[in-house]
Amino acid sequence: MKLRPVLLLLPLLISPLFAQKPTSPLVLWYKQPAREWMTQALPVGNGHVGMMFFGDPAEERLQFSEGSLWAGGKGANAEYNFGLKKDAHKHLPQVRELLAAGKMKEAHALANKELTGAIHEKKGNTPSSDFGAQQTVGDLYVKVSARGDVKNYHRELDIANALGKVTYDAGSSHFERTFFGDYPAKVMVYRFTSSTPETYAVRFETPHAKDYERFEKSRYAFGGHLKDNNQQFETVYRIDTDGKTAFKDGILTVTNAKSVVLVHTVATDYIMRFPDYKGNDFKKANATTMTKAAGKNYAALLAEQQKDYHQMFDRVALQLGNATSSNLPTDERQRAYFKGQPDNGLEELYFQYGRYLMISSTRPGTMPMALQGKWNDSTNPPWANDYHTNINVQMLYWPAEVTNLSECHLPLMDFTQSIVAPGRLAANEFFNAKGWIVNTMLNAYGYTSPGWDFPWGFFPGGAAWLCQHLWEHYAFTNDKVFLKNTAYPIMKEASEFWMDYLTDDGKGRLVSSPSYSPEHGGISTGATMDHEMAWDVLNNTAEAAKVLGIDAGFAQEARAIRDKILPLQIGRWKQLQEWREDVDDSTNHHRHVSHLYALHPGKQISLTQTPAEAEAARVSLNARGDDGTGWSLAWKVNFWARLQDGNRAHKLFKSVLRPVADQGTNMADGGGSYANLLCAHPPFQLDGNMGSTAGVAEMLLQSQTGVIELLPALPDAWPSGSVKGLKARGNVTIDEVWEDGKLKSVTLASATAQKRVLKYGTKSINVDIAAGKAQILNAADFK
């Protein structure tokens, strides 16, 4: 079910003639209200809650979701068992025998029947299965008394300050609205002001069951539960106003008011703890939040939010040439850009938009971002708005470290730690293996089993991929406490799975059998991506043990197994093979290019260390083409950046900004961005935004091989510019300035003294970075 507003104001009554362009370049702005949630509404968040505002002058719609509100799990069905099938692994030897005999169809049929995870359907439920789905909480509607035709309408999202705004005139009155999320206070804040006293009507609508609703002492509270699993939640707001309030039949009426401020929060009974995931005292949590916020008026909350946001967002600044704010609203600007109008300012905006979305949707102590981040208006969202681990949830976090938002990465670490326990059960039941796994579809309730259909649902490599994020967090921060206490134990167990699961191919090489390349092709005795992920987690775990000075024997065994994995294969048309079998189709343009994992986000392939494999990856990329879904385009930006082809990376980046209006599902070539610049798969997924932001950073800075490479993939479209505050592995902060397509200067800063190799073009130099002191090098230093 999706909630849709009643449109109370016709577009013809809104005059766009006097809409003013914003003074800041980092603003999305429009001359009209949003009519569609997916394509036009604008996102605001505080990490916990994601809200979309529409800006209708007659009645504002504030649609909101909280990351832990999830249907499904044990509460939805007593038979829910994390997808486990008892003793499913007993069929694994037969599957492998069929594969060894070349009976691929029979092997697939048996695997599909016996190695799929269990789900249970319940007629009449939304969603229908106990896998569940992330849920919208509902909508706050704020109706405003009308005073004639609307003029000078302006709607914007200022990402430099994390503020949503709506302004307009009606009759003799001027109206303003401001929306923001305050992470430290754990509240959302919505302010409505007018130059003359007005009447407001506030109501809450939800698709979920109501347990209670009340308004007492300027505080509204609604308690409810999900119908399928009885998960409980409560949403509360405080109203600060100079008007008079009255509450009746669920509607709060405010009369004779020039100012209405709603201070809003949400909590659920969810706890990120296997196996019950239940027990949070959500009423107490909300009471605590509201008590702490009680002494803070609008100005204090805004000051708190601004301080918190700027100390993160301002770490990175990107300037591409002489880009400035545009005279065109964002939707018109996007169309002009894609028709060929150069607009470096829009590219800067899109890059920083990804960082804004990250700060707004993933902070310490919150649920991790799902497919749609924290923004969901549905009880049955696309792909359950889950945590897809065969690319999507990982891509969501690609910008975290390199764009200097390391703490935003932590919710993914916490969530990864929480799924190790159910992942152990899945590894044991399906594969009789030690360690832990997670497959394609992951919910909030420990569903780590293979998905309920093949090939898309089979992806035990998801755990290894999540472990790469644990290692990368250490690699960028040098946080040995995190590595020792959190990352290493999880990485070690993920490695243990591959140590058990890999089998000898009869020629002395280890292969993954059975395996599937994500969502593409048939069963294999060795999908390349499996081998790349196994190599990656074994390699990183061994390196972690070395850093920590522990587990030398285990590290030695991990390296030995890593080195026995079937090497990357170059096929008959010089491509990097997607499978052990040389069956790649050079005319296939499938959205997944998963066998290039070793190029990005992995580090097994590089131009300097494995040039033959890098060239084979280039051949594969050329064959797949430059179309795709939104996230696929974003991944290709990163691939081409790693191949140091800046112009090709920029071409793909431009494709990510292609205007899209279609809200349906296009699994082939429909990718781009909606008018609100949210990524169109289509439908909306946040991974394309995040992947593209990471791709821009990869074009400007790389460090995956241990060498800090400056401007490795600078495109011709950015001949001059600067970037401040990007991060290189080793916890080095980098500023770069370039002119006429060439590096002018680089500034390095590190909290600890370290020796590093810097590379620009073909020239490498050794640099001693002093602790706590910025070091500036010029282009002449590289000659």
Side-chain angles (χ1 to χ4, degrees):
M1 172 182 179
K2 289 190 177 182
L3 304 175
R4 299 297 183 200
V6 177
L7 301 181
L8 300 177
L9 191 66
L10 297 177
L12 292 177
L13 297 181
I14 299 176
S15 171
L17 298 178
F18 303 99
Q20 300 295 312
K21 79 166 187 174
T23 56
S24 167
L26 296 180
V27 175
L28 289 74
W29 69 282
Y30 307 84
K31 295 179 180 179
Q32 66 284 328
R35 300 300 177 190
E36 292 288 343
W37 179 89
M38 186 176 295
T39 65
Q40 299 171 342
L42 295 173
V44 180
N46 68 355
H48 299 273
V49 174
M51 184 274 286
M52 297 276 266
F53 71 93
F54 288 67
D56 190 322
E59 186 171 47
E60 180 61 78
R61 178 188 175 193
L62 305 171
Q63 184 280 321
F64 62 100
S65 180
E66 200 278 341
S68 67
L69 193 66
W70 258 84
K74 285 186 176 181
N77 193 315
E79 296 181 59
Y80 178 80
N81 192 31
F82 319 104
L84 300 172
K85 283 184 178 178
K86 186 171 177 57
D87 294 332
H89 63 82
K90 290 182 178 179
H91 301 278
L92 183 60
Q94 186 180 357
V95 172
R96 287 173 168 167
E97 288 171 7
L98 290 168
L99 286 171
K103 297 180 179 180
M104 299 301 194
K105 290 183 179 180
E106 294 85 348
H108 169 74
L110 182 60
N112 192 32
K113 178 183 178 183
E114 303 295 349
L115 298 181
T116 52
I119 64 164
H120 307 93
E121 300 282 347
K122 190 171 182 180
K123 190 174 181 180
N125 265 15
T126 301
S128 61
S129 81
D130 60 2
F131 177 85
Q134 201 274 325
Q135 302 287 290
T136 178
V137 179
D139 300 73
L140 280 173
Y141 289 97
V142 183
K143 188 175 182 179
V144 187
S145 56
R147 291 182 174 273
D149 292 353
V150 172
K151 298 179 181 179
N152 304 328
Y153 182 88
H154 181 91
R155 178 172 60 102
E156 74 173 41
L157 180 62
D158 177 359
I159 66 171
N161 295 292
L163 297 174
K165 296 181 181 179
V166 178
T167 61
Y168 60 92
D169 297 321
S172 60
S173 296
H174 177 70
F175 295 84
E176 294 188 3
R177 303 172 189 173
T178 305
F179 312 118
F180 62 86
D182 182 347
Y183 168 72
K186 202 178 178 181
V187 297
M188 303 293 293
V189 181
Y190 321 127
R191 184 179 71 162
F192 298 77
T193 63
S194 56
S195 60
T196 57
E198 305 294 343
T199 298
Y200 294 83
V202 186
R203 75 183 195 278
F204 171 60
E205 291 189 1
T206 181
H208 308 300
K210 180 171 74 172
D211 297 328
Y212 57 85
E213 186 177 31
R214 56 178 174 260
F215 181 76
E216 299 171 348
K217 297 180 180 180
S218 300
R219 185 178 296 182
Y220 170 88
F222 179 100
H225 65 272
L226 304 189
K227 297 168 186 175
D228 86 314
N229 66 359
N230 202 41
Q231 186 189 14
Q232 294 180 287
F233 70 92
E234 183 186 64
T235 185
V236 178
Y237 67 75
R238 179 189 92 207
I239 184 169
D240 300 335
T241 180
D242 58 353
K244 183 178 180 180
T245 62
F247 184 76
K248 184 179 179 181
D249 297 331
I251 299 176
L252 175 63
T253 302
V254 188
T255 55
N256 201 35
K258 285 187 175 181
S259 174
V260 171
V261 176
L262 304 179
V263 180
H264 177 216
T265 194
V266 189
T268 78
D269 66 5
Y270 178 88
I271 293 179
M272 193 189 291
R273 185 174 63 214
F274 174 82
D276 295 322
Y277 300 99
K278 198 175 183 70
N280 181 45
D281 189 339
F282 58 99
K283 295 179 185 179
K284 181 179 180 181
N286 277 342
T288 300
T289 296
M290 298 307 289
T291 298
K292 289 182 177 179
K296 301 175 183 176
N297 61 15
Y298 174 81
L301 290 167
L302 178 60
E304 181 178 63
Q305 178 261 353
Q306 288 291 293
K307 180 180 179 181
D308 171 69
Y309 182 74
H310 281 286
Q311 63 87 17
M312 298 182 70
F313 185 80
D314 294 351
R315 295 172 189 169
V316 171
L318 176 66
Q319 181 70 40
L320 300 176
N322 296 316
T324 59
S325 58
S326 172
N327 290 317
L328 293 175
T330 303
D331 48 351
E332 297 178 27
R333 183 182 187 184
Q334 181 190 14
R335 291 192 293 269
Y337 171 80
F338 199 72
K339 289 178 180 178
Q341 177 66 43
D343 192 345
N344 290 345
L346 182 63
E347 296 171 336
E348 292 175 15
L349 176 65
Y350 196 88
F351 167 80
Q352 292 285 26
Y353 192 36
R355 299 183 68 247
Y356 161 82
L357 292 165
M358 175 163 277
I359 296 169
S360 302
S361 62
T362 176
R363 304 289 294 273
T366 73
M367 294 291 284
M369 290 182 285
L371 285 176
Q372 297 176 183
K374 292 288 165 62
W375 296 279
N376 169 31
D377 73 332
S378 176
T379 59
N380 195 24
W383 297 284
N385 192 25
D386 77 340
Y387 310 100
H388 257 54
T389 68
N390 67 349
I391 174 64
N392 311 93
V393 72
Q394 292 93 339
M395 180 181 281
L396 286 166
Y397 283 91
W398 284 352
E401 303 294 343
V402 69
T403 73
N404 215 333
L405 296 174
S406 188
E407 59 267 62
C408 290
H409 214 169
L410 295 177
L412 184 65
M413 314 297 168
D414 294 339
F415 192 58
T416 298
Q417 194 167 31
S418 79
I419 60 175
V420 170
R424 290 185 191 120
L425 299 180
N428 180 62
E429 291 293 358
F430 288 97
F431 305 113
N432 195 29
K434 296 193 298 290
W436 70 282
I437 60 169
V438 61
N439 285 267
T440 306
M441 290 189 72
L442 170 64
N443 65 8
Y445 300 116
Y447 193 104
T448 54
S449 299
W452 46 94
D453 197 13
F454 280 22
W456 64 261
F458 187 94
F459 189 68
W465 198 338
L466 289 173
C467 284
Q468 184 188 73
H469 284 256
L470 296 167
W471 174 250
E472 288 287 76
H473 183 68
Y474 163 73
F476 275 93
T477 64
N478 285 348
D479 186 346
K480 287 188 178 180
V481 174
F482 167 82
L483 183 66
K484 179 181 178 180
N485 296 338
T486 302
Y488 182 73
I490 299 171
M491 293 166 63
K492 181 178 179 180
E493 283 200 64
S495 294
E496 286 174 338
F497 168 77
W498 287 104
M499 289 173 166
D500 273 4
Y501 187 68
L502 294 169
T503 62
D504 194 295
D505 68 350
K507 300 178 181 178
R509 291 296 186 178
L510 295 176
V511 295
S512 171
S513 177
S515 70
Y516 295 84
S517 196
E519 302 183 39
H520 182 220
I523 196 168
S524 174
T525 54
T528 297
M529 190 184 194
D530 274 10
H531 298 158
E532 293 169 326
M533 288 185 300
W535 187 97
D536 192 72
V537 71
L538 291 165
N539 180 76
N540 293 341
T541 303
E543 184 63 24
K546 180 180 178 181
V547 169
L548 296 172
I550 61 174
D551 265 357
F554 182 85
Q556 183 178 4
E557 183 183 3
R559 291 189 190 95
I561 293 175
R562 175 200 66 187
D563 293 343
K564 288 184 67 177
I565 294 173
L566 182 73
L568 299 172
Q569 305 290 295
I570 298 176
R572 65 191 188 284
W573 45 276
K574 307 302 181 184
Q575 87 283 11
L576 191 73
Q577 288 181 202
E578 188 166 358
W579 301 274
R580 181 190 182 201
E581 301 82 12
D582 189 359
V583 295
D584 299 75
D585 180 355
S586 62
T587 66
N588 188 305
H589 295 160
H590 197 272
R591 63 192 179 278
H592 277 269
V593 201
S594 304
H595 56 303
L596 304 192
Y597 172 95
L599 175 64
H600 183 279
K603 57 187 179 184
Q604 191 178 355
I605 295 176
S606 74
L607 285 170
T608 54
Q609 296 173 3
T610 59
E613 287 77 8
E615 179 58 30
R618 189 189 306 272
V619 171
S620 290
L621 269 177
N622 279 323
R624 285 292 164 88
D626 291 343
D627 290 326
T629 58
W631 63 262
S632 179
L633 296 174
W635 202 357
K636 291 173 184 176
V637 174
N638 288 273
F639 285 142
W640 285 112
R642 286 279 174 97
L643 291 172
Q644 301 190 0
D645 188 334
N647 290 333
R648 191 68 171 273
H650 183 264
K651 178 186 176 183
L652 269 298
F653 179 59
K654 185 172 181 179
S655 294
V656 173
L657 275 158
R658 181 176 74 90
V660 175
D662 178 21
Q663 299 181 51
T665 300
N666 187 327
M667 301 287 279
D669 58 1
S673 298
Y674 297 119
N676 54 13
L677 298 189
L678 293 177
C679 175
H681 175 287
F684 160 50
Q685 289 182 190
L686 196 64
D687 41 24
N689 291 91
M690 298 307 192
S692 299
T693 291
V696 171
E698 287 285 335
M699 294 160 74
L700 301 176
L701 178 70
Q702 294 178 23
S703 60
Q704 67 278 2
T705 64
V707 174
I708 298 175
E709 298 191 62
L710 307 174
L711 305 179
L714 185 69
D716 294 340
W718 302 340
S720 298
S722 64
V723 65
K724 174 182 78 77
L726 292 182
K727 281 281 189 175
R729 291 164 183 83
N731 200 17
V732 182
T733 304
I734 307 287
D735 302 345
E736 298 170 298
V737 180
W738 64 95
E739 289 181 356
D740 299 323
K742 297 179 180 179
L743 180 70
K744 182 179 180 182
S745 66
V746 58
T747 303
L748 313 172
S750 172
T752 57
Q754 53 181 298
K755 298 179 183 293
R756 297 302 297 270
V757 177
L758 264 63
K759 183 179 180 183
Y760 173 62
T762 60
K763 181 68 174 179
S764 296
I765 60 174
N766 297 311
V767 178
D768 291 329
I769 306 174
K773 183 179 180 180
Q775 184 166 348
I776 301 174
L777 295 135
N778 298 310
D781 294 311
F782 291 89
K783 293 181 180 178

